[in-house]
């Protein structure tokens, strides 16, 4: 359940910080764990949400922000498109449940991306529906930013996804 996950997430990150010397290694591990979750979670999402096929990157970003975040984290995000090509989006979270029990991060691990698991989940789920994407944190409330912002860059144009048979 969401509550159990949120309660134990901090312990997971703390253990990873003990296991790895560099924050970058912790970030990579969180991303990999999230990716593994995302490739499995997409089946549950598609079965439980009964959503229709998204026809654009914009629809996909809205689906993640409005439906998936609500279903699994209990929050919704706002979406803004940040490129003229229409392949870069920001998901802006006013409230991030993963940080509910975090008082503050130590000043020492400045490069630690505490919620990097979310980036991996999104990337893994998108890959399973044949949408290659780069997902990164752009802003983080834990680092003093006003909001939590996750950037999604779709790596191929929509017409690239169509496969031609030879």
């Amino acid at each position: 359940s969401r509550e159990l996950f949120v309660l134990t997430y901090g312990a997971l990150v703390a253990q990873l910080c003990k296991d790895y010397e560099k924050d970058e290694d912790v970030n990579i591990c969180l991303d990999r764990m999230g990716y593994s979750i995302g490739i499995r979670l997409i089946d549950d999402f598609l079965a439980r949400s009964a959503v229709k096929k998204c026809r654009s990157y914009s629809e996909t970003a809205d689906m993640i922000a409005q439906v998936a975040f609500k279903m699994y984290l209990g929050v919704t995000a706002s979406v803004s498109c940040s490129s003229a090509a229409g392949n870069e989006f920001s998901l802006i979270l006013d409230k991030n449940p993963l940080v509910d029990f975090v008082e503050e991060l130590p000043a020492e691990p400045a490069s630690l991306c505490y919620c990097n698991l979310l980036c991996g989940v999104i990337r893994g789920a998108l890959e399973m529906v044949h949408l290659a994407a780069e997902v990164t944190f752009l802003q983080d409330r834990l680092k003093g930013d006003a909001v939590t912002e996750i950037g999604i860059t779709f790596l191929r144009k929509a017409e690239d996804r169509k496969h031609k048979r030879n």
Side-chain angles (χ1 to χ4, degrees):
S1 76
R2 177 179 59 232
E3 292 81 19
L4 178 62
F5 177 66
V6 169
L7 286 170
T8 57
Y9 185 73
L12 169 72
V13 175
Q15 185 61 49
L16 289 174
C17 288
K18 289 178 185 175
D19 292 346
Y20 294 98
E21 290 180 22
K22 297 179 183 174
D23 295 336
E24 292 79 17
D25 294 337
V26 174
N27 294 340
I28 290 168
C29 186
L30 287 170
D31 183 73
R32 284 186 190 150
M33 292 171 78
Y35 178 83
S36 295
I37 292 168
I39 63 174
R40 289 165 182 79
L41 196 63
I42 190 67
D43 288 330
D44 179 67
F45 173 76
L46 294 172
R48 291 186 355 165
S49 67
V51 297
K52 304 272 189 247
K53 182 179 178 180
C54 294
R55 303 260 180 231
S56 67
Y57 291 143
S58 176
E59 284 183 36
T60 303
D62 285 337
M63 189 64 58
I64 294 167
Q66 303 298 319
V67 181
F69 274 39
K70 183 70 171 175
M71 186 182 288
Y72 295 106
L73 293 176
V75 297
T76 57
S78 58
V79 179
S80 67
C81 182
S82 56
S83 74
N87 69 326
E88 294 180 27
F89 297 88
S90 288
L91 304 177
I92 300 167
L93 293 161
D94 292 324
K95 184 178 186 310
N96 181 355
L98 290 183
V99 301
D100 281 350
F101 301 106
V102 177
E103 293 181 17
E104 72 178 67
L105 291 177
E108 184 75 21
S111 61
L112 176 65
C113 189
Y114 182 82
C115 296
N116 211 38
L117 185 97
L118 292 177
C119 293
V121 169
I122 294 168
R123 189 172 55 83
L126 287 172
E127 189 172 299
M128 292 308 292
V129 292
H130 306 289
L131 291 172
E134 184 178 288
V135 185
T136 57
F137 266 90
L138 302 176
Q139 294 186 70
D140 192 346
R141 287 189 118 166
L142 288 176
K143 293 183 179 180
D145 296 319
V147 295
T148 298
E149 181 179 3
I150 301 171
I152 300 175
T153 303
F154 292 98
L155 300 176
R156 288 183 286 224
K157 294 181 182 176
E159 57 270 9
D160 291 345
R161 294 184 301 164
K162 296 176 184 172
H163 299 285
K164 295 179 182 177
R165 291 188 175 188
N166 293 332

